[in-house]
Amino acid sequence: MPRHAYVNGRYVPHGDATVHIEDRGYQFADGVYEVITIVDGHLVDEEPHVDRLDRSLNELRIAWPVSRRALGFLMRTLIRRNGVRTGIIYIQVTRGVAPRDFRFPKGAEPSLVMTTRHMTFGSPKLMEEGVSVVTIPDIRWQRRDIKSIALLPQALGKQQAAEAGAFEAWMVDPDGTVTEGTSSNAWIVTGEGVLVTRPATNLILNGITRLRILKLAAAAGLRYEERPFTVEEACCAREAFISSATTFVTPVTRIDGRSIGNGVPGSLASALRADYLAFVGEAVPA
Ligand code: PMP
């Protein structure tokens, strides 16, 4: 069965799926998106992902393309149609198609596009060795809390990381503090064993995995602080890791070529990853 995409009310073979050249997503990056993990046919943390989509749409004053209830149904239909047991669903909403003009068009219908992809999560090699990150200046806008499809700084950053042989780039604000990864949130564990991640302000995307990890940490009685940390503090930390819907909890063992802790994945990151995997296994059936 060929893979299908959902495009504005139709299920289209993936290779034939297109949008209009005057879609505002294409011309202005005037849109938002979500990526939700599918494990064993279940959507992981569906509710908070859809809440964040709602928030992103409201912040940009883009209308919902379909009702929230309908979105749930359409996502499940696409996942079933494409036979995805483990992977992701990508959901994108743009302000729609209109003659090119910066001002919001009157009467344009928002566009909804969804695709799925088979994927496996967490290669054992990454877990055994951890990953490297490089640090780069954060050149993004001031509304990083909106999950906007304007991802050019992140694409440039991820490319730079890849060319440096690193898995991820951590973006750094002018005050020297790490904001987040190009597609993940950044965490460290201090010498005293305190988990630290940046608070969810306009300067980062509030990761759904981040929120889940904070809940798991609280449930496990771990000490944690939501505060900014510098590259220097991260380099001297006992542990570091990243989180996202596709990397879950992935240990970071090198930052700009410097070894973190004793150079192998830390015990807290490993424990949180195990907790997260247990949570994912228990995700609500689709
Ligand atoms: N920050 C950025 C910039 C991201 O792109 C992502 C992934 N979409 C995240 C953090 C992690 O968010 P989530 O846990 O919801 O995948």
Side-chain angles (χ1 to χ4, degrees):
M1 191 174 50
R3 184 158 66 123
H4 282 79
Y6 173 90
V7 185
N8 291 322
R10 296 169 56 219
Y11 296 93
V12 189
H14 194 273
D16 301 334
T18 52
V19 292
H20 194 276
I21 55 166
E22 285 194 314
D23 188 285
R24 290 178 61 97
Y26 182 59
Q27 293 192 327
F28 300 128
D30 187 1
V32 300
Y33 74 107
E34 279 297 326
V35 174
I36 311 180
T37 308
I38 305 159
V39 173
D40 222 5
H42 308 151
L43 288 158
V44 175
D45 262 336
E46 173 182 1
E47 190 80 10
H49 275 285
V50 179
D51 286 346
R52 187 172 64 183
L53 177 65
D54 180 54
R55 182 178 183 281
S56 296
L57 289 169
N58 286 330
E59 291 298 315
L60 297 183
R61 294 198 279 145
I62 298 175
W64 268 79
V66 293
S67 70
R68 188 170 167 139
R69 209 182 143 83
L71 181 72
F73 172 78
L74 295 171
M75 286 194 292
R76 283 168 178 73
T77 307
L78 186 68
I79 290 166
R80 269 197 213 110
R81 238 186 143 112
N82 288 341
V84 181
R85 297 299 300 166
T86 302
I88 56 160
I89 182 162
Y90 175 83
I91 306 142
Q92 174 171 312
V93 182
T94 72
R95 204 180 300 277
V97 176
R100 190 177 182 282
D101 181 344
F102 288 147
R103 286 165 290 204
F104 294 176
K106 288 197 179 67
E109 298 283 330
S111 303
L112 172 61
V113 168
M114 293 193 287
T115 53
T116 62
R117 192 194 284 181
H118 292 274
M119 221 184 227
T120 51
F121 300 104
S123 90
K125 185 172 180 300
L126 291 191
M127 282 314 301
E128 274 162 33
E129 294 174 12
V131 298
S132 318
V133 304
V134 290
T135 61
I136 58 170
D138 197 331
I139 58 170
R140 296 175 301 162
W141 69 334
Q142 296 295 307
R143 292 302 309 274
R144 304 161 190 167
D145 54 309
I146 300 171
K147 201 164 169 57
S148 135
I149 57 172
L151 294 170
L152 190 52
Q154 284 96 318
L156 295 174
K158 193 76 104 187
Q159 180 62 22
Q160 198 176 329
E163 287 172 9
F167 182 81
E168 177 61 298
W170 277 6
M171 298 177 285
V172 181
D173 260 351
D175 66 358
T177 59
V178 174
T179 54
E180 59 188 330
T182 62
S183 61
S184 57
N185 288 112
W187 303 72
I188 58 169
V189 178
T190 67
E192 292 74 43
V194 181
L195 197 57
V196 182
T197 197
R198 191 162 183 124
T201 65
N202 61 306
L203 297 179
I204 65 162
L205 182 77
N206 192 2
I208 303 305
T209 321
R210 172 190 180 280
L211 288 170
R212 179 57 58 192
I213 292 166
L214 287 174
K215 284 206 181 103
L216 293 171
L222 300 177
R223 281 183 299 157
Y224 67 86
E225 287 174 7
E226 290 177 83
R227 63 162 174 85
F229 58 85
T230 62
V231 175
E232 206 42 47
E233 185 179 5
C235 287
C236 301
R238 183 188 288 179
E239 300 182 28
F241 63 91
I242 56 172
S243 68
S244 75
T246 52
T247 59
F248 299 179
V249 174
T250 296
V252 170
T253 46
R254 278 170 312 282
I255 300 175
D256 292 333
R258 293 159 76 178
S259 236
I260 306 308
N262 44 17
V264 294
S267 55
L268 208 57
S270 303
L272 281 169
R273 184 177 175 89
D275 285 355
Y276 189 78
L277 287 173
F279 161 74
V280 158
E282 288 160 12
V284 192

